[in-house]
């Protein structure tokens, strides 16, 4: 994980880097640091444990003048979060400084070899090894920094996005990537680099996404030059950014998470736009239209994803099986990649990832491609690695998601999976036109229905007060509501640190029922679907054991209303669309419980939004 930023130009280097770090803090916040080449010709490194705000306080009385600098916000992998392990890292002679996002797998081997040559290490990080290795090569081979970086990267096994500064060469930054993201912003007489484009969106819309194995030479007053590890010149593909600055701000909300929950009527509208056409009677997904043969002939669909995206994937299984009558399996990408999976050219593999950068999901894609499967990506971040690595795909178009706990991206993913299933069903003729039109028309109403669900905000805020001190929660659902239960439990765990378990409601009696007592609230997702009567029995089973029940039901429900301690009513929708509607009260419930407990909802402890390590 980790976020890196760099700037070379005439602007205020420190301010640009700090603002950039704040934007990338979602990637990790164990420590933060900057390296600036000062007017005294030295590289000055300032770094502290904790968030970027700690770094700002630490730097308040420092001389920060500079024309070039690099910066880092860390999610610790090698070595505990501490001032010493914080990036940037120096080579021992202080000649070069480096920031790094990724993991150097063979760092121990390299470290032992360097120690034998007399190098002394100060931190426990893999990154310091890279700094020392580059400088060792530069001095031993008497070569340029660029050449030393290239030679060092030949020896490295692992993932990296790096930016390197040299004391004696203050008009240059060398940057490189392998498996971790890196994008270079090209302004007028200035360059930016960052893990994503958010740090420079207000300065320039022109950027270049570095590809795996590429090294960029960023030099003052000179055009950008990119070469690969074999020192061959690479093509420079300049992209225009679509992101806007207002999307990166809180817009009056106390937290990004709350803003993102409330954005869902408009993010879902953006996600649907152009895809539900002809008054709801036709579904138009370019990735399906362009690959009709693939979807007509698919024998099986394999979905790979991690975290919340995996929960969306599980819903994808219900949707695709239901609508397209294709067998579907859903795998955690981290398990899939090491499970010796059986994938054939008849499979379609769907990779789901908000960030488009999750290392395990990217690895799963490579395995699927090697096995000859058609790989389809569902992602949010335009230009990220997963859309580039897959053969076709679909963006969810929900705008940047900054809160570490995913909300609008989850509903966007579920929406895209619903549209994808409908489009494939339309193509394969597995659903009649009338049913497709019924669902299509309901999809067009989703933004206004979500708006209605958000009116539960105050009721949920009050309800949350009752449960602030609960130590365990159980979330139950059946059918389409089962993945919603998993996601509801995950949201609560992530931001309030309360233990919560999601379970298929009928499986409760095979274990979790033993936990039920007055102290443990059970959240039951029970819309009017074909399993409603079944879930009523499960509600009764919890009630009979004195459990406290919060139920998400449809408006006008009377049966569960009489059994549950608290009900939250949402509008009725066709069964396949209920997950989008029922997941929103659960997002709000976890938000308010975490707020009541005084937790940092946007940056929960130990988590990061973009997981670019295994
Ligand atoms: C992290 C985030 C989760 C996210 C998961 C997968 O764990 O904290 O919110 O669901 O990674 O990320 P992706 O970007 O692949 O959806």
């Amino acid at each position: 994980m980790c976020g890196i930023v760099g700037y070379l130009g005439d602007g205020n280097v420190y301010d640009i880097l700090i603002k950039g770090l704040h934007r990338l803090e979602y990637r990790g916040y164990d420590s933060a640091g900057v390296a600036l080449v000062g007017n005294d010709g030295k590289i000055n490194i300032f770094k502290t444990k904790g968030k970027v705000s700690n770094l700002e306080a630490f730097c308040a009385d420092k001389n920060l003048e500079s024309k070039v600098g690099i910066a880092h916000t860390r999610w610790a992998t090698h070595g505990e979060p501490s001032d010493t392990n914080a990036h940037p890292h120096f080579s021992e002679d202080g000649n070069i400084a480096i920031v790094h996002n990724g993991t150097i797998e063979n760092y121990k081997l390299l470290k032992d070899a360097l120690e034998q040559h007399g190098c002394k290490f100060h931190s426990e990080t893999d990154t310091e090894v890279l700094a020392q290795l580059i400088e060792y090569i530069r001095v031993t081979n008497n070569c340029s920094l660029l050449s030393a970086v290239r030679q060092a990267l030949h020896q490295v096994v692992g993932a990296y996005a790096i930016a390197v500064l040299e004391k004696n060469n203050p008009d240059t930054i060398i940057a490189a990537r392998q498996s971790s993201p890196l994008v270079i912003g090209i302004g007028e007489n200035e360059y930016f680099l960052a893990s994503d484009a958010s740090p420079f969106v207000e300065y320039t819309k022109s950027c270049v996404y570095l590809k795996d194995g590429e090294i960029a030479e960023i030099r003052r007053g000179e055009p950008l030059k990119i070469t690969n590890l074999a020192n061959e010149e690479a093509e420079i593909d300049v992209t225009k950014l679509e992101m806007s600055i207002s999307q990166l701000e809180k817009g009056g909300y106390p937290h990004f998470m709350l803003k993102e929950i409330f954005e869902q009527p408009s993010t879902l509208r953006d996600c649907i736009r152009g895809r539900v056409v002809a008054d709801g009677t036709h579904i138009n997904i370019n990735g399906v239209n362009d690959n009709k043969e693939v979807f007509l002939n698919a024998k099986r669909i394999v979905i790979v994803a991690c975290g919340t995206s995996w929960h969306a994937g599980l819903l994808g299984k219900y949707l695709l099986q239901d609508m397209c009558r294709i067998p579907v399996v859903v795998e955690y990408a981290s398990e899939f990649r090491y499970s010796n999976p059986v994938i054939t050219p008849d499979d379609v593999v769907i990779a789901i990832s908000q960030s488009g950068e999750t290392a395990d999901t990217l690895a799963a894609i490579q395995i699927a491609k090697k096995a000859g499967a058609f790989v389809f990506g569902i992602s949010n971040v335009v230009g990220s690695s997963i859309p580039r690595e897959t053969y076709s795909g679909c963006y969810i178009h929900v705008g940047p998601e900054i809160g570490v706990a995913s909300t609008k991206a989850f509903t966007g993913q579920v929406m895209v999976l619903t549209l994808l299933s409908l489009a494939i069903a339309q193509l394969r003729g597995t659903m009649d036109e009338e049913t497709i039109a019924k669902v299509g028309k309901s999809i067009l109403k989703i933004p206004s229905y979500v708006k209605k669900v958000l009116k539960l905000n105050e009721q949920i805020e009050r309800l949350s007060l009752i449960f602030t001190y609960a130590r365990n929660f159980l979330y139950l659902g059946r059918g389409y509501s089962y993945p919603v239960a998993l996601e509801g439990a995950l949201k609560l765990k992530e931001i309030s640190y309360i233990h919560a378990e999601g379970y298929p409601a009928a499986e409760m009696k095979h274990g979790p029922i033993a936990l039920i007592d007055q102290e443990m609230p059970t959240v039951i997702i029970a819309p009017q679907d074909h399993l409603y009567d079944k879930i009523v029995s499960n509600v009764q089973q919890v009630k009979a054991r004195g459990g406290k029940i919060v139920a998400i039901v449809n408006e006008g429900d009377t049966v569960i209303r009489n059994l549950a301690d608290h009900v939250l009513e949402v509008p009725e929708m066709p069964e396949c669309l209920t997950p989008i509607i029922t997941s929103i009260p659960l997002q709000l419930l976890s938000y308010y419980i975490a707020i009541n407990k005084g937790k940092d909802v946007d940056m929960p402890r130990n988590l990061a939004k973009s997981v670019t390590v295994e």
Side-chain angles (χ1 to χ4, degrees), residues 311-326:
H311 292 156
L314 191 56
L315 277 165
K317 170 181 166 145
Y318 284 83
L319 290 159
L320 286 158
Q321 282 190 174
D322 227 9
M323 297 180 182
C324 315
R325 309 305 300 142
I326 307 176

Side-chain angles (χ1 to χ4, degrees), residues 1 26 305-310 352-359 361 378 386 401 403-407 409 413 487 490-491 494 607-611:
M1 273 85 88
Y26 72 85
C306 300
T308 288
S309 299
W310 186 87
I352 309 171
S353 170
Q354 185 285 130
S355 62
E357 299 293 351
T358 299
T361 312
I378 297 179
I386 288 178
E401 189 179 63
V404 166
S406 183
T407 52
Q413 288 166 339
E487 176 58 12
L490 178 66
K491 279 298 79 93
E494 281 179 308
L607 295 181
K609 191 155 187 70
S610 185
V611 184

Side-chain angles (χ1 to χ4, degrees), residues 184-186 204-209 224 235-241:
I184 296 166
I186 307 173
T204 179
K205 295 278 188 245
S206 300
C207 68
V208 176
Y209 290 92
L224 177 67
E235 213 172 285
I236 297 188
D237 188 4
V238 180
T239 306
K240 284 272 164 257
L241 279 180

